[in-house]
Amino acid sequence: MRAFESAALILRRGRPADAVALSSLINHYARQGGMLPRTPADIREHCGDFLVAEANGEILGCGALKAYIRGLAEVRSLCTAPEAARRGVGRALLQRLVEEASHRGFKTLFALTVVPQFFARCGFREVHRLALPLKIWRDCLHCPKLFRCDERAMVLELTPRSSQPDETPAEARQPSPSLRW
Ligand SMILES: CC(C)(COP(=O)(O)OP(=O)(O)OC[C@H]1O[C@@H](n2cnc3c(N)ncnc32)[C@H](O)[C@@H]1OP(=O)(O)O)[C@@H](O)C(=O)NCCC(=O)NCCS
């Protein structure tokens, strides 16, 4: 992957053509035990759930929302390419996912993560894992760390937004001003 020193970051919706690259990025971290793996086929099927960070046509990160019951949604598969780490990509993705979750009427957003510090820097607070509904643990059955889980539960209570959907296409919106490029 090339350097992106002065490139503008674009946040856009995932596309089927991203599936292999996103799977490769996510599985890079999954092999280190920080995320659940995702296959290209799985991502292709759910590509509309993905937000992709891109600069100069190169994918720098991604993240997705998963809806649960009673106004609850999960931030999942959130990651930044190693070459772009600590330059605001993760925060930009998370901020946009928070906005999207608010617009969609979710009341609480949560993440299960081995990097609670990142989520805390982005306004989330830690809760006991058992404070979350049992339903969310279904994916854990496929996790190699099932009986030695080190993930922490982070939540953000969302401020209700207008029920009108944001008509601005994801591609056309400006990146977060907190980006460090
Ligand atoms: C966690 C991750 C998404 C952060 O992405 P990033 O683009 O490097 O993060 P940002 O540059 O946007 O950082 C935002 C803030 O979080 C802090 N932060 C980021 N990663 C951190 C870490 N590992 N530990 C402590 N703080 C961290 C940054 O210093 C920054 O703080 P600031 O408020 O002082 O500016 C990225 O490290 C990653 O992909 N990790 C592996 C996958 C993973 O664990 N994802 C989360 C599971 S859902």
Side-chain angles (χ1 to χ4, degrees), residues 46-112:
H46 298 102
C47 65
D49 295 341
F50 274 84
L51 189 62
V52 174
E54 179 184 278
N56 288 341
E58 299 259 5
I59 290 177
L60 299 188
C62 65
L65 289 181
K66 177 170 179 170
Y68 287 92
I69 47 169
R70 279 177 268 155
L72 185 67
E74 179 184 13
V75 174
R76 51 167 33 201
S77 302
L78 177 69
C79 57
T80 296
E83 296 85 349
R86 299 289 184 121
R87 291 160 68 190
V89 174
R91 185 194 290 277
L93 283 162
L94 186 53
Q95 281 179 347
R96 184 63 60 78
L97 291 170
V98 167
E99 287 169 22
E100 182 184 327
S102 290
H103 281 297
R104 288 172 58 184
F106 292 108
K107 293 186 170 57
T108 308
L109 199 52
F110 75 93
L112 300 171

Coordinates of all heavy atoms in Angstrom, one line a residue, residues 46-112:
H46 N -23.2 -8.6 2.4 CA -23.6 -7.5 3.3 C -22.8 -6.2 3.0 O -22.7 -5.4 3.9 CB -23.3 -7.9 4.8 CG -24.1 -9.1 5.2 ND1 -23.5 -10.4 5.3 CD2 -25.4 -9.3 5.6 CE1 -24.4 -11.3 5.7 NE2 -25.6 -10.6 5.9
C47 N -22.4 -6.1 1.8 CA -21.5 -4.9 1.5 C -22.2 -3.6 1.7 O -21.6 -2.6 2.0 CB -20.9 -5.0 0.1 SG -22.1 -4.9 -1.2
G48 N -23.6 -3.6 1.6 CA -24.3 -2.3 1.9 C -24.2 -1.9 3.3 O -24.5 -0.7 3.6
D49 N -23.9 -2.8 4.2 CA -23.7 -2.4 5.6 C -22.4 -1.8 5.9 O -22.2 -1.2 7.0 CB -23.8 -3.7 6.5 CG -25.1 -4.4 6.5 OD1 -26.1 -3.7 6.1 OD2 -25.2 -5.6 6.8
F50 N -21.5 -1.9 5.0 CA -20.1 -1.4 5.2 C -19.9 0.0 4.8 O -20.4 0.5 3.8 CB -19.1 -2.3 4.4 CG -18.7 -3.5 5.1 CD1 -19.4 -4.7 5.1 CD2 -17.5 -3.5 5.9 CE1 -19.1 -5.8 5.8 CE2 -17.1 -4.7 6.6 CZ -17.9 -5.8 6.5
L51 N -19.1 0.7 5.6 CA -18.6 2.0 5.3 C -17.1 1.8 5.0 O -16.4 1.1 5.8 CB -18.8 2.9 6.5 CG -18.5 4.4 6.3 CD1 -19.5 5.0 5.3 CD2 -18.7 5.1 7.7
V52 N -16.7 2.4 3.9 CA -15.3 2.2 3.5 C -14.5 3.5 3.5 O -15.1 4.5 3.0 CB -15.2 1.5 2.1 CG1 -13.8 1.4 1.6 CG2 -15.9 0.2 2.1
A53 N -13.4 3.5 4.1 CA -12.5 4.7 4.0 C -11.5 4.5 2.9 O -10.8 3.5 2.8 CB -11.8 5.0 5.3
E54 N -11.4 5.5 2.0 CA -10.5 5.3 0.8 C -9.8 6.6 0.5 O -10.3 7.7 0.8 CB -11.5 5.0 -0.3 CG -10.9 4.8 -1.7 CD -11.9 4.5 -2.7 OE1 -12.4 3.4 -2.8 OE2 -12.3 5.5 -3.4
A55 N -8.6 6.5 0.0 CA -7.8 7.7 -0.5 C -7.1 7.2 -1.7 O -6.5 6.1 -1.7 CB -6.9 8.2 0.6
N56 N -7.2 8.0 -2.8 CA -6.5 7.7 -4.0 C -6.8 6.3 -4.5 O -6.0 5.6 -5.0 CB -5.0 7.8 -3.9 CG -4.5 9.2 -3.8 OD1 -5.3 10.1 -4.2 ND2 -3.3 9.4 -3.3
G57 N -8.1 5.9 -4.3 CA -8.5 4.6 -4.7 C -8.0 3.4 -3.9 O -8.3 2.3 -4.2
E58 N -7.3 3.7 -2.8 CA -6.8 2.6 -1.9 C -7.7 2.6 -0.7 O -8.0 3.6 -0.1 CB -5.4 2.9 -1.5 CG -4.4 3.0 -2.7 CD -3.6 1.7 -2.8 OE1 -3.9 0.7 -2.1 OE2 -2.7 1.7 -3.7
I59 N -8.1 1.4 -0.3 CA -8.9 1.2 0.9 C -8.0 1.3 2.2 O -7.0 0.6 2.3 CB -9.6 -0.1 0.9 CG1 -10.7 -0.1 -0.2 CG2 -10.3 -0.5 2.2 CD1 -11.5 -1.3 -0.5
L60 N -8.4 2.3 3.0 CA -7.6 2.5 4.3 C -8.3 2.0 5.5 O -7.8 2.1 6.6 CB -7.4 4.0 4.4 CG -6.6 4.7 3.3 CD1 -6.3 6.1 3.8 CD2 -5.3 4.0 3.0
G61 N -9.6 1.6 5.4 CA -10.3 1.1 6.6 C -11.7 0.8 6.2 O -12.2 1.1 5.1
C62 N -12.4 0.3 7.2 CA -13.8 -0.1 7.0 C -14.5 -0.3 8.4 O -13.8 -0.4 9.4 CB -14.0 -1.3 6.2 SG -13.3 -2.8 7.0
G63 N -15.8 -0.3 8.3 CA -16.6 -0.6 9.5 C -18.0 -0.8 9.1 O -18.4 -0.4 8.0
A64 N -18.8 -1.4 10.0 CA -20.2 -1.8 9.6 C -21.1 -1.7 10.9 O -20.6 -1.7 12.0 CB -20.2 -3.2 9.0
L65 N -22.3 -1.5 10.6 CA -23.3 -1.6 11.7 C -24.1 -2.9 11.5 O -24.4 -3.3 10.4 CB -24.3 -0.4 11.5 CG -23.9 1.0 11.8 CD1 -25.0 2.0 11.6 CD2 -23.3 1.1 13.2
K66 N -24.5 -3.4 12.7 CA -25.4 -4.6 12.7 C -26.5 -4.3 13.7 O -26.3 -3.9 14.8 CB -24.7 -5.8 13.1 CG -25.6 -7.0 13.2 CD -24.9 -8.3 13.4 CE -26.0 -9.4 13.5 NZ -25.4 -10.8 13.4
A67 N -27.7 -4.4 13.2 CA -28.9 -4.1 14.0 C -29.3 -5.2 14.9 O -29.3 -6.4 14.5 CB -30.1 -3.7 13.1
Y68 N -29.7 -4.9 16.1 CA -30.2 -5.9 17.0 C -31.6 -5.4 17.5 O -32.1 -4.4 17.0 CB -29.3 -6.1 18.2 CG -28.1 -6.9 17.9 CD1 -26.9 -6.3 17.5 CD2 -28.1 -8.3 17.9 CE1 -25.8 -7.0 17.2 CE2 -26.9 -9.0 17.6 CZ -25.8 -8.4 17.2 OH -24.7 -9.1 16.9
I69 N -32.2 -6.1 18.4 CA -33.5 -5.7 18.9 C -33.4 -4.4 19.8 O -32.4 -4.1 20.2 CB -34.1 -6.9 19.7 CG1 -33.1 -7.3 20.8 CG2 -34.6 -8.0 18.9 CD1 -33.6 -8.2 21.8
R70 N -34.6 -3.9 19.9 CA -34.8 -2.8 20.9 C -33.8 -1.6 20.8 O -33.2 -1.2 21.7 CB -34.9 -3.3 22.3 CG -36.2 -3.9 22.7 CD -36.2 -4.5 24.0 NE -35.9 -5.9 24.0 CZ -35.3 -6.6 25.0 NH1 -35.1 -6.0 26.1 NH2 -35.0 -7.8 24.8
G71 N -33.6 -1.1 19.6 CA -32.8 0.1 19.4 C -31.4 -0.1 19.6 O -30.6 0.9 19.7
L72 N -30.9 -1.3 19.5 CA -29.5 -1.6 19.8 C -28.8 -2.0 18.5 O -29.3 -2.7 17.7 CB -29.4 -2.8 20.7 CG -28.1 -3.2 21.2 CD1 -27.5 -2.2 22.2 CD2 -28.2 -4.6 22.0
A73 N -27.6 -1.4 18.3 CA -26.8 -1.7 17.1 C -25.4 -1.9 17.5 O -24.9 -1.3 18.5 CB -27.0 -0.6 16.0
E74 N -24.7 -2.7 16.7 CA -23.3 -3.0 17.0 C -22.4 -2.3 15.9 O -22.7 -2.4 14.7 CB -23.0 -4.5 17.0 CG -21.6 -4.9 17.2 CD -21.4 -6.4 17.1 OE1 -22.3 -7.1 16.7 OE2 -20.3 -6.8 17.6
V75 N -21.3 -1.8 16.3 CA -20.2 -1.4 15.4 C -19.3 -2.7 15.3 O -18.8 -3.2 16.3 CB -19.3 -0.3 16.0 CG1 -18.1 0.0 15.1 CG2 -20.1 1.0 16.2
R76 N -19.2 -3.2 14.1 CA -18.4 -4.4 13.9 C -17.5 -4.2 12.7 O -17.6 -3.3 11.8 CB -19.3 -5.6 13.7 CG -20.3 -5.4 12.7 CD -21.0 -6.7 12.2 NE -21.2 -7.6 13.3 CZ -21.4 -8.9 13.1 NH1 -21.5 -9.4 11.8 NH2 -21.5 -9.8 14.1
S77 N -16.5 -5.1 12.6 CA -15.5 -5.1 11.5 C -14.9 -3.7 11.3 O -14.6 -3.3 10.1 CB -16.2 -5.6 10.2 OG -16.7 -6.9 10.4
L78 N -14.7 -3.0 12.4 CA -14.1 -1.6 12.2 C -12.5 -1.8 12.3 O -12.0 -2.3 13.3 CB -14.5 -0.7 13.4 CG -13.9 0.7 13.4 CD1 -14.4 1.5 12.2 CD2 -14.3 1.4 14.7
C79 N -11.9 -1.4 11.3 CA -10.4 -1.4 11.3 C -9.8 -0.4 10.3 O -10.4 0.0 9.4 CB -9.9 -2.8 11.0 SG -10.5 -3.5 9.5
T80 N -8.6 -0.1 10.6 CA -7.8 0.8 9.8 C -6.6 0.0 9.2 O -6.0 -0.7 10.0 CB -7.3 2.0 10.7 OG1 -8.4 2.7 11.1 CG2 -6.3 2.9 9.9
A81 N -6.3 0.3 8.0 CA -5.1 -0.4 7.4 C -3.9 0.0 8.2 O -3.7 1.1 8.7 CB -4.9 0.1 6.0
P82 N -3.0 -1.0 8.5 CA -1.8 -0.7 9.4 C -1.0 0.5 8.9 O -0.6 1.3 9.7 CB -1.0 -2.0 9.2 CG -1.9 -3.1 8.9 CD -3.0 -2.4 8.1
E83 N -0.9 0.7 7.6 CA -0.1 1.8 7.1 C -0.8 3.2 7.4 O -0.1 4.2 7.3 CB 0.0 1.7 5.6 CG 0.8 0.5 5.1 CD 0.0 -0.8 5.0 OE1 -1.2 -0.8 5.5 OE2 0.5 -1.7 4.5
A84 N -2.1 3.2 7.7 CA -2.8 4.4 7.9 C -3.1 4.6 9.4 O -3.9 5.5 9.8 CB -4.0 4.5 7.1
A85 N -2.6 3.8 10.3 CA -3.0 3.8 11.7 C -2.6 5.2 12.4 O -1.7 5.8 12.0 CB -2.3 2.7 12.4
R86 N -3.5 5.5 13.3 CA -3.3 6.7 14.2 C -3.3 8.0 13.4 O -2.5 8.9 13.8 CB -2.0 6.5 15.0 CG -1.9 5.4 15.9 CD -2.9 5.5 17.1 NE -2.8 4.5 18.0 CZ -2.5 4.6 19.3 NH1 -2.2 5.8 19.8 NH2 -2.4 3.6 20.1
R87 N -4.0 8.1 12.3 CA -4.1 9.3 11.6 C -5.6 9.7 11.5 O -5.9 10.5 10.6 CB -3.5 9.1 10.2 CG -2.0 9.0 10.4 CD -1.4 8.4 9.1 NE -1.5 9.2 8.0 CZ -1.2 8.8 6.7 NH1 -0.8 7.6 6.5 NH2 -1.2 9.7 5.7
G88 N -6.4 9.2 12.3 CA -7.8 9.6 12.3 C -8.8 8.9 11.5 O -10.0 9.2 11.4
V89 N -8.3 7.8 10.8 CA -9.3 7.1 9.9 C -10.3 6.3 10.7 O -11.5 6.4 10.4 CB -8.5 6.1 9.0 CG1 -9.4 5.2 8.2 CG2 -7.5 6.8 8.1
G90 N -9.8 5.7 11.8 CA -10.8 4.9 12.7 C -11.8 5.9 13.3 O -13.0 5.5 13.3
R91 N -11.4 7.0 13.7 CA -12.3 8.0 14.3 C -13.3 8.4 13.3 O -14.5 8.6 13.6 CB -11.6 9.2 14.9 CG -12.5 10.1 15.7 CD -11.8 11.4 16.0 NE -10.8 11.3 17.0 CZ -11.0 11.4 18.3 NH1 -12.3 11.5 18.7 NH2 -10.0 11.3 19.1
A92 N -12.8 8.7 12.1 CA -13.7 9.2 11.0 C -14.8 8.2 10.7 O -16.0 8.5 10.5 CB -12.9 9.6 9.8
L93 N -14.4 6.9 10.6 CA -15.3 5.8 10.3 C -16.3 5.7 11.4 O -17.5 5.6 11.2 CB -14.6 4.5 10.1 CG -13.9 4.3 8.8 CD1 -12.8 3.2 8.9 CD2 -14.9 4.0 7.7
L94 N -15.8 5.7 12.7 CA -16.7 5.5 13.8 C -17.7 6.7 13.9 O -18.9 6.5 14.2 CB -15.9 5.4 15.1 CG -16.7 5.0 16.3 CD1 -17.5 3.8 16.1 CD2 -15.7 4.8 17.5
Q95 N -17.2 7.9 13.7 CA -18.1 9.1 13.8 C -19.2 9.0 12.8 O -20.4 9.2 13.0 CB -17.4 10.4 13.5 CG -16.6 10.9 14.8 CD -15.8 12.2 14.5 OE1 -15.6 12.6 13.4 NE2 -15.4 12.8 15.6
R96 N -18.9 8.5 11.5 CA -19.9 8.4 10.5 C -20.9 7.3 10.9 O -22.1 7.4 10.6 CB -19.3 8.1 9.2 CG -20.2 8.1 8.0 CD -21.0 9.4 7.7 NE -20.1 10.5 7.5 CZ -19.5 10.7 6.3 NH1 -19.7 9.9 5.3 NH2 -18.7 11.8 6.2
L97 N -20.4 6.2 11.4 CA -21.3 5.1 11.8 C -22.2 5.5 13.0 O -23.4 5.2 13.0 CB -20.5 3.9 12.3 CG -19.7 3.1 11.1 CD1 -18.7 2.1 11.7 CD2 -20.7 2.5 10.1
V98 N -21.7 6.4 13.9 CA -22.5 6.9 14.9 C -23.6 7.8 14.3 O -24.8 7.6 14.7 CB -21.7 7.7 15.9 CG1 -22.6 8.5 16.9 CG2 -20.8 6.8 16.8
E99 N -23.3 8.6 13.4 CA -24.3 9.5 12.7 C -25.3 8.6 12.0 O -26.5 8.9 12.2 CB -23.6 10.4 11.7 CG -22.8 11.5 12.2 CD -22.0 12.2 11.2 OE1 -22.3 12.1 10.0 OE2 -21.0 12.8 11.5
E100 N -24.9 7.6 11.4 CA -25.8 6.7 10.6 C -26.7 6.0 11.6 O -27.9 5.9 11.4 CB -25.0 5.7 9.8 CG -25.9 4.8 9.0 CD -25.1 3.7 8.3 OE1 -23.9 4.0 7.9 OE2 -25.6 2.6 8.1
A101 N -26.2 5.5 12.7 CA -27.0 4.8 13.7 C -28.1 5.8 14.3 O -29.2 5.4 14.5 CB -26.1 4.2 14.8
S102 N -27.6 7.0 14.5 CA -28.6 8.0 15.1 C -29.7 8.3 14.1 O -30.9 8.3 14.4 CB -27.9 9.4 15.3 OG -27.1 9.2 16.4
H103 N -29.3 8.5 12.8 CA -30.4 8.7 11.8 C -31.3 7.6 11.6 O -32.5 7.7 11.3 CB -29.7 9.0 10.4 CG -29.2 10.4 10.3 ND1 -30.0 11.5 10.4 CD2 -27.9 10.9 10.2 CE1 -29.3 12.6 10.3 NE2 -28.0 12.3 10.2
R104 N -30.8 6.4 11.8 CA -31.6 5.2 11.7 C -32.5 4.9 12.9 O -33.2 3.9 13.0 CB -30.8 4.0 11.3 CG -30.3 4.0 9.9 CD -29.2 3.0 9.6 NE -29.8 1.6 9.8 CZ -29.0 0.5 9.6 NH1 -27.8 0.6 9.3 NH2 -29.6 -0.7 9.8
G105 N -32.3 5.7 13.9 CA -33.2 5.7 15.1 C -32.7 4.7 16.2 O -33.5 4.4 17.1
F106 N -31.5 4.2 16.1 CA -31.0 3.4 17.2 C -30.7 4.2 18.4 O -30.4 5.4 18.3 CB -29.7 2.7 16.8 CG -29.9 1.7 15.7 CD1 -29.4 1.9 14.4 CD2 -30.5 0.5 16.0 CE1 -29.6 1.0 13.4 CE2 -30.7 -0.5 15.0 CZ -30.3 -0.2 13.7
K107 N -30.9 3.6 19.6 CA -30.7 4.3 20.8 C -29.4 4.1 21.5 O -28.8 4.9 22.2 CB -31.8 3.9 21.8 CG -33.2 4.4 21.4 CD -34.2 4.1 22.5 CE -35.6 4.8 22.1 NZ -36.1 4.3 20.8
T108 N -28.9 2.9 21.2 CA -27.6 2.5 21.8 C -26.7 1.8 20.8 O -27.2 0.9 20.1 CB -27.8 1.5 23.0 OG1 -28.8 2.1 23.9 CG2 -26.5 1.3 23.8
L109 N -25.4 2.2 20.8 CA -24.5 1.6 19.9 C -23.4 0.9 20.8 O -23.0 1.5 21.8 CB -23.8 2.7 19.1 CG -23.1 2.4 17.8 CD1 -24.0 1.5 16.9 CD2 -22.6 3.7 17.2
F110 N -23.1 -0.3 20.5 CA -22.0 -1.0 21.3 C -21.0 -1.6 20.4 O -21.1 -1.8 19.2 CB -22.7 -2.0 22.2 CG -23.1 -3.3 21.5 CD1 -22.2 -4.4 21.4 CD2 -24.3 -3.4 20.9 CE1 -22.5 -5.6 20.7 CE2 -24.7 -4.6 20.2 CZ -23.8 -5.7 20.1
A111 N -19.8 -1.9 21.0 CA -18.8 -2.6 20.3 C -18.1 -3.6 21.3 O -18.0 -3.3 22.5 CB -17.7 -1.6 19.8
L112 N -17.8 -4.7 20.8 CA -17.0 -5.7 21.6 C -15.6 -5.6 21.0 O -15.4 -5.8 19.9 CB -17.6 -7.1 21.4 CG -19.0 -7.2 21.9 CD1 -19.6 -8.6 21.5 CD2 -19.1 -7.0 23.4

